[in-house]
Amino acid sequence: MISSVGQFLDLIADHDIDFWYRGVGDLNFKPSSQVEWRGLDKTKEDTVAYRFLRDYGKYSETESHNPWKVYALMQHHGLPTRLLDWSRSPLVALFFAVTQEPLSEKGHRAIWVLDPHSLNKLVTGLNLIYCPSQMGNRRVFNAHEVGNPDYIAEGGLLWSNFAKSDDETTDIESYSLDEYLPYPLFLLSPSNSLKSFTWEYPLAIEASSLDGRMDLQHSAFTIHGNNNEPLDTFLKRHNRSDILKCIHIVSLRQVSVTHHQKYA
């Protein structure tokens, strides 16, 4: 238990510089995307995306044909997406944790702490953080099949649980990140026509900055697939609770860590 911001910083001083943080006003706000916790089916999800795509020029000075920039703009305006906001700054996360309204007076504020590289390594076998809005070929390749790869591949749930893709450009298994997108945004890319598979697992991704607020908040995202379970539940199910920790805030001045997730 700590009683000052200084002690909070001491608690996280040994964290990897690449950890991401998410502050919540109530632990009942699970690490799930809006699409997940709202229980939107595909039709409703696609309808929201279509209506935003039709009208978003009213909210943006420049229209973009990059589907991932449009998707980040949807998130920016509070519409339900498969994106979940994180910050690289623990102080930004602490600010949101202590200023967000809890669901009840008995609600416990908290800060989720994510190791994004380990999350992606678990899913794809590579500890890379992708930035789809800046990628020309938005495909994730199976590095296990690459001779002398730049990055060593270890594990990865993805390659053992999806059918082989039909990418005609290579014999190496690959999967398009665009498959995460709702269909109206998926079709923004001229190379896309029909979806060929479904992403089930979450990934940590970067996004190009849309405005100064994203820069100030040191924004990052996880994007979530179709298994509709919170990130902590997904990781527990695969015995990788070490990838996501939770700092409980007892009051605005007192912060503690649950015993089973202690950092020390």
Side-chain angles (χ1 to χ4, degrees):
M1 182 177 295
I2 66 172
S3 59
S4 70
V5 173
Q7 289 179 341
F8 168 66
L9 293 178
D10 287 341
L11 179 66
I12 63 171
D14 294 332
H15 286 186
D16 190 290
I17 192 172
D18 290 327
F19 278 14
W20 295 354
Y21 303 85
R22 176 175 173 81
V24 292
D26 196 308
L27 263 178
N28 288 314
F29 297 134
K30 286 288 192 175
S32 301
S33 70
Q34 276 206 63
V35 165
E36 291 170 311
W37 63 260
R38 286 182 182 273
L40 296 189
D41 60 27
K42 278 292 186 183
T43 300
K44 291 181 180 178
E45 182 182 1
D46 289 349
T47 298
V48 170
Y50 167 74
R51 289 175 176 170
F52 182 81
L53 189 60
R54 181 191 63 192
D55 297 330
Y56 83 98
K58 301 174 184 177
Y59 313 107
S60 176
E61 294 181 359
T62 59
E63 291 193 18
S64 173
H65 296 288
N66 184 303
W68 287 92
K69 290 183 178 180
V70 176
Y71 206 39
L73 194 61
M74 283 183 62
Q75 177 76 1
H76 178 72
H77 285 284
L79 293 172
T81 73
R82 294 186 176 276
L83 297 170
L84 184 65
D85 291 293
W86 296 83
S87 175
R88 299 181 193 85
S89 168
L91 289 179
V92 168
L94 180 62
F95 170 80
F96 280 106
V98 300
T99 57
Q100 189 179 66
E101 288 297 323
L103 291 176
S104 68
E105 293 183 359
K106 297 181 179 180
H108 288 283
R109 302 176 186 274
I111 296 174
W112 293 100
V113 184
L114 175 69
D115 180 348
H117 291 275
S118 292
L119 171 63
N120 285 5
K121 186 175 179 180
L122 172 69
V123 174
T124 70
L126 294 176
N127 64 353
L128 296 177
I129 307 298
Y130 299 95
C131 184
S133 63
Q134 301 301 105
M135 294 169 64
N137 184 347
R138 293 186 288 271
R139 302 192 73 88
V140 179
F141 289 84
N142 184 359
H144 292 274
E145 299 179 355
V146 178
N148 300 316
D150 293 330
Y151 297 88
I152 296 186
E154 298 179 12
L157 294 172
L158 177 65
W159 312 114
S160 61
N161 285 278
F162 280 119
K164 186 175 178 60
S165 66
D166 295 325
D167 184 9
E168 297 178 356
T169 64
T170 177
D171 291 331
I172 300 172
E173 288 180 339
S174 67
Y175 303 95
S176 173
L177 292 172
D178 286 359
E179 301 276 353
Y180 273 112
L181 297 169
Y183 201 60
L185 269 61
F186 175 81
L187 292 177
L188 274 183
S189 176
S191 61
N192 294 335
S193 56
L194 296 174
K195 290 192 174 187
S196 59
F197 73 96
T198 300
W199 285 89
E200 295 291 336
Y201 306 124
L203 281 181
I205 65 170
E206 302 275 8
S208 54
S209 176
L210 296 171
D211 60 16
R213 190 176 74 173
M214 286 185 67
D215 290 331
L216 290 173
Q217 294 178 2
H218 304 277
S219 295
F221 300 100
T222 47
I223 184 159
H224 295 248
N226 291 332
N227 60 2
N228 294 323
E229 61 183 350
L231 185 57
D232 59 328
T233 303
F234 164 75
L235 292 171
K236 286 179 181 177
R237 182 162 58 84
H238 292 285
N239 299 314
R240 290 304 308 269
S241 294
D242 59 300
I243 292 175
L244 182 68
K245 306 291 186 178
C246 187
I247 300 174
H248 289 218
I249 300 176
V250 177
S251 72
L252 296 184
R253 292 183 53 80
Q254 295 179 313
V255 182
S256 66
V257 181
T258 54
H259 177 72
H260 68 285
Q261 294 178 324
K262 194 169 184 178
Y263 289 94

